[in-house]
Amino acid sequence: MADISDPVPTIGILYPGYSAEDDYPRAETVLGDGSRLPLVHTEMGEDAHRVDALRDIGSDEVLATGAAKLTATAAPLDAIVWACTSGSFVFGWDGASAQAEALAAAAGAPASSTSFAFVEACRRLGVTRVAVGATYPDDIAERFAEFLGRAGIRVLSLSARGIITAAEVGTLPAGDVLGFAAAADHADAQAVLLPDTALHTIGLLDDLDARVGKPVLTANQVTVWQGLRLAGADRARPGLGRLFASGRTE
């Protein structure tokens, strides 16, 4: 049970298009403490895991428009997160940093993206060696591995499923997600990372950890966790995988 002194934050979520956005109200329910995750769908000109399309959906203009909608309807925000891994790491480390800074300025709140959420989640768990199960095409998956490498996280194995659209990823059933995570594992990896926010995972987090036998970090999971961390509300919580069970240690 939460301490009554714990903050009950409002974390704004900017989500591109429509695929697994229902993971966020599901996460609100599992959190069960009144934490709010208001979500705005940002413009997606083309649903494609391709560099030019991803740069378009992650542009400062698109995110600023989404932030304005959130601040108009859900202010005050304690944090805001761009819930798109590929639409952040595709800019590279420096570009993704500038993207988050611009979003913070637009929203008037601490800001981050799912790409940095993965890095911070690995740091929280002391993870430096990972296996990656990406739904993306090979070239996009390799950019994620490069991004992790900038943070000192070694990718021991990289599995790319080659799915072009987020809409298709969002239709993958639970059994496929569990099997994909298990198949992506590497014996020497400390965790398995599933980087696509189009993948439904919030209802599977404890099952994923149990199936693989180590932490499985998923995009929608780390996005919520990062928002709570930025808001100072990342206490230990059940039902959302080993990352949430770890709680705040600093």
Side-chain angles (χ1 to χ4, degrees):
M1 180 178 295
D3 187 287
I4 59 173
S5 64
D6 285 345
V8 179
T10 297
I11 310 300
I13 303 295
L14 296 182
Y15 191 91
Y18 297 80
S19 48
E21 68 276 6
D22 49 327
D23 261 4
Y24 291 90
R26 185 173 293 117
E28 273 190 356
T29 299
V30 178
L31 289 170
D33 63 355
S35 295
R36 297 179 60 234
L37 304 171
L39 182 147
V40 161
H41 294 275
T42 56
E43 180 182 354
M44 179 183 278
E46 182 180 2
D47 181 7
H49 287 132
R50 200 179 63 241
V51 172
D52 60 330
L54 294 169
R55 286 181 175 272
D56 284 345
I57 69 171
S59 71
D60 289 347
E61 294 77 13
V62 168
L63 299 191
T65 298
K69 292 178 181 177
L70 272 173
T71 55
T73 58
L77 297 175
D78 296 290
I80 187 170
V81 187
W82 168 223
C84 186
T85 326
S86 55
S88 45
F89 70 70
V90 75
F91 291 91
W93 186 273
D94 293 340
S97 297
Q99 180 190 64
E101 290 170 2
L103 178 56
S112 189
S113 65
T114 308
S115 293
F116 286 118
F118 273 110
V119 170
E120 293 297 339
C122 286
R123 288 173 175 166
R124 171 59 59 84
L125 294 175
V127 166
T128 57
R129 303 184 311 276
V130 302
V132 173
T135 51
Y136 316 131
D138 289 340
D139 63 321
I140 301 301
E142 288 164 3
R143 286 173 177 257
F144 182 55
E146 292 169 4
F147 187 90
L148 295 173
R150 279 289 303 268
I153 300 167
R154 291 177 57 206
V155 176
L156 302 182
S157 63
L158 178 62
S159 303
R161 191 152 175 168
I163 299 175
I164 296 296
T165 69
E168 181 180 349
V169 173
T171 67
L172 295 177
D176 280 11
V177 177
L178 290 165
F180 182 50
D185 190 21
H186 184 286
D188 295 327
Q190 297 164 296
V192 173
L193 277 54
L194 304 181
D196 198 342
T197 58
L199 198 64
H200 286 94
T201 61
I202 291 296
L204 301 174
L205 295 172
D206 288 343
D207 290 340
L208 282 164
D209 287 354
R211 174 72 175 269
V212 180
K214 62 186 65 171
V216 177
L217 300 177
T218 78
N220 291 329
Q221 175 200 38
V222 301
T223 297
V224 174
W225 176 84
Q226 178 79 327
L228 293 170
R229 188 186 74 84
L230 290 175
D234 59 325
R235 59 177 178 79
R237 301 165 187 265
L240 290 165
R242 204 173 306 180
L243 173 63
F244 275 82
S246 69
R248 187 167 51 235
T249 58
E250 66 267 22

